[in-house]
């Protein structure tokens, strides 16, 4: 009798683990359980904690078109920043759940990942985003055209300054972005034809002795020596917008920033940020779904797709908010 009770108890615990703990560990939500039963296909979106905001937008875009492909879309983002280790766990989970395809951000220097395979031992089709990794056999890569991004930043700067003024660019340490030189070459080449725009490069790397201090930035803002700041990262955009707000210089000193998220939208709405350039992540999500299902249906997809750059201003953000409230 005791053996039978023990077996029943072990079976109950196993069922509890499969039904409750695995989804809890991986962040799986209840909607997936409801929808998966009625959908023919299943797609996973996975990535590291540093890509959380980006992948959430990708998920929104993918989810918006999921009905076209009779597909349930599931989002899993690591809760920690330990790079390959957490991403490997997500890939292992993918092999366990056997999806039709995976949309993911893979760090450019990742070389030790074991790619997920389906129940037949074949690699699950991958759509990779943001950073291109030549070591990964992806079905398609959707990334930024950094040359076009640099040109757009330059054109927006020229428009804001009406062809003359003082422009300060907050630079990125080149080792942090392998595409930095492409972006900067395009940016400076486009600005080169405008002799009345005077450019100053500001090193924002606080770990280096040459990095510009917060106090120096404050003095530049207060003196009015710079008409327009250009920020190339989310972090620098937020940092400068905070200083502009603190010094009550909203609308008096221009900022063209880069990135997306609620914090940036708040500063944009207040007028601390003049313009915000970002990659159209929701469109990337929709495009990723199209390429994945083209591959599933036809056996091939576009190898490389350049993501669109979107430009937001305070008025466009307010219009977007009102439209979403009306819905």
């Amino acid at each position: 009798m005791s053996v039978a009770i023990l077996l029943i108890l072990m079976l109950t615990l196993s069922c509890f683990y499969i039904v409750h703990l695995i989804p809890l560990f991986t962040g799986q939500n209840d909607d997936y359980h409801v929808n998966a039963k009625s959908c023919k296909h299943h797609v996973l979106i996975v990535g590291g904690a540093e890509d959380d905001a980006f992948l959430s937008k990708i998920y929104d875009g993918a989810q918006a078109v999921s009905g076209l492909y009779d597909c349930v879309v599931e989002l899993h983002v690591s809760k920690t920043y330990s790079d390959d280790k957490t991403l490997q766990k997500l890939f292992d989970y993918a092999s366990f759940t056997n999806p039709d395809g995976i949309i993911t951000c893979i760090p450019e220097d990742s070389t030790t990942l074991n790619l997920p395979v389906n129940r037949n031992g074949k690699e699950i089709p991958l759509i990779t985003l943001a950073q291109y990794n030549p070591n990964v056999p992806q079905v398609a890569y959707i990334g930024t055209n950094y040359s076009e991004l640099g040109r757009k930043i330059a054109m927006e700067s020229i428009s804001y300054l009406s062809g003359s003024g003082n422009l300060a660019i907050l630079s990125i340490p080149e080792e942090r972005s392998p595409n930095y030189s492409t972006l900067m070459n395009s940016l400076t080449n486009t600005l080169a034809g405008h002799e009345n725009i005077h450019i100053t490069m500001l090193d924002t790397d606080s770990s280096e002795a040459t990095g510009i201090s917060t106090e120096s930035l404050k003095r530049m803002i207060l003196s009015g020596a710079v008409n327009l700041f250009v920020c190339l990262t989310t972090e620098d955009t937020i940092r400068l917008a905070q200083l502009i707000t603190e010094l009550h210089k909203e609308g008096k000193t221009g900022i063209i920033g880069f990135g997306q998220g609620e914090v940036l939208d708040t500063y944009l709405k207040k007028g601390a940020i003049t313009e915000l350039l970002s990659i159209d992540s929701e469109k990337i999500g929709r495009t990723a779904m199209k390429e994945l299902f083209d591959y599933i249906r036809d056996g091939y997809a576009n190898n490389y797709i350049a993501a669109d750059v979107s430009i937001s201003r305070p008025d466009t953000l307010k219009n977007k908010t009102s439209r979403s409230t009306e819905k």
Side-chain angles (χ1 to χ4, degrees), residues 79-105:
K79 302 301 180 186
T80 62
Y81 287 83
S82 51
D83 300 323
D84 286 7
K85 292 181 180 177
T86 50
L87 189 55
Q88 185 62 65
K89 286 181 181 177
L90 290 170
F91 277 180
D92 293 343
Y93 170 71
S95 294
F96 173 76
T97 56
N98 197 44
D100 297 281
I102 298 171
I103 301 169
T104 183
C105 291

Side-chain angles (χ1 to χ4, degrees), residues 313-326:
R313 301 177 181 87
D315 55 341
T316 58
L317 185 66
K318 287 174 186 175
N319 291 339
K320 187 193 297 184
T321 306
S322 359
R323 280 197 301 269
S324 97
T325 306
E326 288 168 8

Side-chain angles (χ1 to χ4, degrees), residues 54 128-132 140-146 279 284 304-308:
F54 174 64
T128 62
L129 313 173
Q131 295 290 345
Y132 177 72
Y141 163 71
I142 306 174
T144 306
N145 183 331
Y146 286 91
I279 305 304
I284 291 176
Y304 174 83
I305 300 166
D308 289 343

Side-chain angles (χ1 to χ4, degrees), residues 24-98:
L24 181 63
F25 172 75
T26 58
Q28 189 169 319
N29 58 41
D30 293 336
D31 290 341
Y32 168 71
H33 294 292
V34 174
N35 296 330
K37 294 176 183 177
S38 59
C39 290
K40 182 179 178 181
H41 297 289
H42 173 206
V43 169
L44 276 179
I45 300 175
V46 300
E50 66 278 7
D51 296 312
D52 190 1
F54 174 64
L55 288 175
S56 293
K57 292 288 187 181
I58 298 295
Y59 171 80
D60 290 342
Q63 181 65 25
V65 297
S66 60
L68 298 175
Y69 304 102
D70 193 13
C71 174
V72 62
V73 181
E74 189 182 358
L75 172 66
H76 292 292
V77 178
S78 302
K79 302 301 180 186
T80 62
Y81 287 83
S82 51
D83 300 323
D84 286 7
K85 292 181 180 177
T86 50
L87 189 55
Q88 185 62 65
K89 286 181 181 177
L90 290 170
F91 277 180
D92 293 343
Y93 170 71
S95 294
F96 173 76
T97 56
N98 197 44

Side-chain angles (χ1 to χ4, degrees), residues 8 16 19 23 29 50 69 78 80 82 87 102-103 159 170 186 188 210 238 241 264 295 306 327:
I8 291 171
F16 177 79
V19 173
N29 58 41
E50 66 278 7
Y69 304 102
S78 302
T80 62
S82 51
L87 189 55
I102 298 171
I103 301 169
S159 175
L170 278 66
S186 176
T188 53
T210 56
I238 292 174
L264 289 173
Y295 179 81
K327 289 178 184 178

Side-chain angles (χ1 to χ4, degrees), residues 153 169-172 180 183-184 187 230-234 258:
I153 292 172
I169 301 173
L170 278 66
S171 63
I172 308 171
Y180 175 70
L183 187 153
M184 283 305 301
L187 173 56
V230 166
C231 304
L232 303 176
T233 67
T234 298
F258 183 81

